[in-house]
């Protein structure tokens, strides 16, 4: 079902954008996906924008933190995995070889608790313990997240980390043109993917896929709005059609129209 009111541990539950130019990002995604943006106080003079479709929150974005901007960090989409307790998950992450980048902390207004880590291959990932905010309230619809995918140089090493931290399982098999594609499984349901990094020189990261009704039309519109095309539209047998784009602030994301829901 596209409407979601809770997430089981290990399931991707939220994405947000750290943008070097949040005003440009608000305009771009608002036009591309039809998002409405609600501004919320994030403390320390920062504003967090909640993107809404069909009266449900689907993603977030904010201006890049000053220290990240000073260090020349790129804009990027962060993925979050649901956990029952961030404190316990952070302990497991450290034992499993992760690097805690941002320790467990509470988000203002009782929204929840979170921490950020880098898995043993270097991919950054957030972990979310729900309070009043459980995560995306709408998924798999045009303009919302449809898939999250880890792209890394050592899939088995990374997968072992996520299994240790969240208790998920995994399955590896051929998919589309790939001989090996790993899916993370929670309660018998595939919730995310992992694959060997397809581009040399790109560090491990989590790719965010947004559902669209027509990939070709969405790519053309994104380009008109100032996007770069990193990978033109292509078909994956048995999966769907997709393309990889860079928004005007440089953050990579994918658009996808699946062959089935």
């Amino acid at each position: 079902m596209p409407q979601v009111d809770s997430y089981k541990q290990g399931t991707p539950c939220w994405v947000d954008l750290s943008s070097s130019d949040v005003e440009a990002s608000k305009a771009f995604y608002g036009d591309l996906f039809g998002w409405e943006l609600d501004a919320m106080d994030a403390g320390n003079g920062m504003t967090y924008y909640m993107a809404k479709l069909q009266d449900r929150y689907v993603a977030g974005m904010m201006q890049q933190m000053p220290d990240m901007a000073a260090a020349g960090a790129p804009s990027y989409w962060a993925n979050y995995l649901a956990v029952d307790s961030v404190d316990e998950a952070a302990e497991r992450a450290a034992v499993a070889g992760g690097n805690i980048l941002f320790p467990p902390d509470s988000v203002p207004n009782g929204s929840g608790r979170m921490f950020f880590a880098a898995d043993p291959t270097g991919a950054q990932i957030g972990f979310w313990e729900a309070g009043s905010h459980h995560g995306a309230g709408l998924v798999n619809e045009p303009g919302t997240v449809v898939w999250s995918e880890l792209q890394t140089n050592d899939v088995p090493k990374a997968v072992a980390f996520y299994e240790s931290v969240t208790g998920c399982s995994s399955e590896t098999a051929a998919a589309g043109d790939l001989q090996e594609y790993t899916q993370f499984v929670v309660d018998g349901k595939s919730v995310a993917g992992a694959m060997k990094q397809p581009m040399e020189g790109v560090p491990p990261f989590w790719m965010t896929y947004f559902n669209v009704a027509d990939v070709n039309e969405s790519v053309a519109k994104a380009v008109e709005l100032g996007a770069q095309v990193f990978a033109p539209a292509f078909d994956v047998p048995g999966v769907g059609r997709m393309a990889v784009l860079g928004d005007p602030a440089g953050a990579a994301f994918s658009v996808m129209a699946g062959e089935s829901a």
Side-chain angles (χ1 to χ4, degrees), residues 202-224:
V202 177
F205 77 108
W206 279 83
M207 171 67 79
T208 301
Y209 289 75
F210 292 101
N211 179 273
V212 293
D214 186 294
V215 170
N216 290 10
E217 290 180 3
S218 293
V219 169
K221 184 173 184 179
V223 170
E224 289 179 3

Side-chain angles (χ1 to χ4, degrees), residues 146-170:
V146 67
W147 192 242
S148 296
E149 180 182 82
L150 172 64
Q151 298 185 6
T152 179
N153 51 19
D154 191 333
V155 172
K157 185 176 183 178
V159 169
F161 169 80
Y162 294 101
E163 290 178 336
S164 295
V165 176
T166 71
C168 70
S169 60
S170 63

Side-chain angles (χ1 to χ4, degrees), residues 179-198:
Q179 293 299 312
E180 289 189 352
Y181 189 83
T182 298
Q183 297 191 53
F184 294 101
V185 179
V186 174
D187 281 358
K189 178 183 178 181
S190 295
V191 298
M195 63 179 288
K196 183 78 172 179
Q197 174 57 261

